[in-house]
Amino acid sequence: MWPLDPPAFSARSTWEACTKLSRDTVGNDGLGTKLRAAAGTAEEAAETFRAAAQSRTLHNLQDHRFKIDGIPAKRVADIVYGSGMIKGPGRDVYDALMDAPEDELCPLCRHSDVTQLDHVMPKATFPALCVAPENLVPVCSSCNHIKNDRAPKNAEDVLLHPYFEHAGTATWLDAELATSALDAGRLTYFVNPPPDWDGTFTARLRRQFTFLELGRRYSVKANQTLKGIHHHLVAQLRSGREAAVRTHLTDMATSHLAADPNGWAGVAYRTWAANDEFCQGRFW
């Protein structure tokens, strides 16, 4: 949901780098030659993928069009991605993709650090895209685990692709305080999009928010933050009463939201600051 600059590497050059050490042996029926000869297929597959990503029609891609003739999909992925990219000559591309986020945060959630590369279209069923740079997005382990080998089934099921689209600078993330006294200060996050947004785009954003469990993950972070600032809020309440608490929370919200208008931290401070009961000591 947050943008990344598209990779500077071409699909053909990456495929060639990842297959250049693949060998022909007596028992593999010229596998190395076949893989190197598939560079054009990989390039064409990447072009088809790019067009679909830009037009938000990844759900229409048919996996049979992304095979490498004569080689099982798993073997292609194991050799080209596993041996050629992760452990071989394509490692430079892998490392550059992993280093792309400036703040090292996952572009799908902005919650956890980047630790893995996700295949937008799964390598198990789209082997011709297994090292296509635009099909590889640096993500956190949580998002990658939840997504797994998922391929979109319909338009609303397509996750926002960080290289091609994002939720922009419009404010769409919101939160509300729990009403129970036992959960004082705990936040529930939800998507609250601008009224002029396209219906399908809004549905996709909400679907992604739910699918990646962002509401729960953000709530946990906010609760941890509240515990960390609890002592300071109590001191502010004692010294300057409600106004001091609200000023502090508003200043923190302004700072965080300037960096990211939809960051969980900025939304947390904004929600706390706007609640009279919270500023009067409901966090205590």
Side-chain angles (χ1 to χ4, degrees), residues 187-222:
L187 299 175
T188 298
Y189 285 84
F190 57 94
V191 173
N192 184 21
D196 59 343
W197 268 15
D198 172 77
T200 300
F201 186 83
T202 297
R204 290 174 61 206
L205 186 66
R206 285 186 167 138
R207 163 64 175 151
Q208 184 165 335
F209 185 85
T210 301
F211 177 67
L212 295 178
E213 303 175 2
L214 299 190
R216 177 190 62 79
R217 294 163 69 185
Y218 292 169
S219 180
V220 169
K221 282 286 192 182

Side-chain angles (χ1 to χ4, degrees), residues 61-103:
L61 295 183
Q62 300 175 339
D63 57 12
H64 68 84
R65 296 183 57 194
F66 294 83
K67 308 296 185 184
I68 302 299
D69 289 342
I71 310 175
K74 185 179 186 306
R75 197 170 193 194
V76 173
D78 287 347
I79 295 173
V80 183
Y81 179 71
S83 298
M85 175 168 274
I86 295 180
K87 300 178 182 178
R91 183 69 194 198
D92 288 347
V93 177
Y94 180 96
D95 290 341
L97 294 173
M98 287 290 290
D99 290 341
E102 292 183 2
D103 52 12

Side-chain angles (χ1 to χ4, degrees), residues 46-253:
E47 291 172 354
T48 301
F49 169 84
R50 183 186 304 112
Q54 291 174 332
S55 62
R56 305 177 182 180
T57 56
L58 288 174
H59 59 289
N60 289 333
L61 295 183
Q62 300 175 339
D63 57 12
H64 68 84
R65 296 183 57 194
F66 294 83
K67 308 296 185 184
I68 302 299
D69 289 342
I71 310 175
K74 185 179 186 306
R75 197 170 193 194
V76 173
D78 287 347
I79 295 173
V80 183
Y81 179 71
S83 298
M85 175 168 274
I86 295 180
K87 300 178 182 178
R91 183 69 194 198
D92 288 347
V93 177
Y94 180 96
D95 290 341
L97 294 173
M98 287 290 290
D99 290 341
E102 292 183 2
D103 52 12
E104 300 180 357
L105 284 176
C106 172
L108 299 185
C109 66
R110 294 283 294 180
H111 173 276
S112 303
D113 294 345
V114 164
T115 58
Q116 302 169 3
L117 281 185
D118 170 60
H119 288 77
V120 177
M121 302 305 287
K123 62 183 182 297
T125 46
F126 293 79
L129 295 173
C130 69
V131 293
E134 291 176 341
N135 190 47
L136 301 173
V137 176
V139 298
C140 68
S141 58
S142 294
C143 285
N144 204 22
H145 175 73
I146 293 171
K147 182 176 174 292
N148 202 1
D149 286 336
R150 169 191 180 278
K153 298 178 180 178
N154 53 59
E156 294 183 359
D157 205 31
V158 178
L159 300 183
L160 274 63
H161 194 313
Y163 297 145
F164 300 105
E165 58 178 338
H166 56 88
T169 57
T171 299
W172 55 263
L173 182 65
D174 209 343
E176 59 185 8
L177 277 165
T179 57
S180 170
L182 294 176
D183 293 322
R186 184 176 290 275
L187 299 175
T188 298
Y189 285 84
F190 57 94
V191 173
N192 184 21
D196 59 343
W197 268 15
D198 172 77
T200 300
F201 186 83
T202 297
R204 290 174 61 206
L205 186 66
R206 285 186 167 138
R207 163 64 175 151
Q208 184 165 335
F209 185 85
T210 301
F211 177 67
L212 295 178
E213 303 175 2
L214 299 190
R216 177 190 62 79
R217 294 163 69 185
Y218 292 169
S219 180
V220 169
K221 282 286 192 182
N223 193 47
Q224 292 169 344
T225 297
L226 181 56
K227 288 182 179 179
I229 65 173
H230 182 269
H231 178 79
H232 181 70
L233 292 181
V234 171
Q236 293 277 18
L237 187 63
R238 287 172 173 169
S239 64
R241 305 183 68 82
E242 177 183 350
V245 174
R246 192 185 306 278
T247 296
H248 170 70
L249 294 172
T250 300
D251 288 346
M252 292 297 292

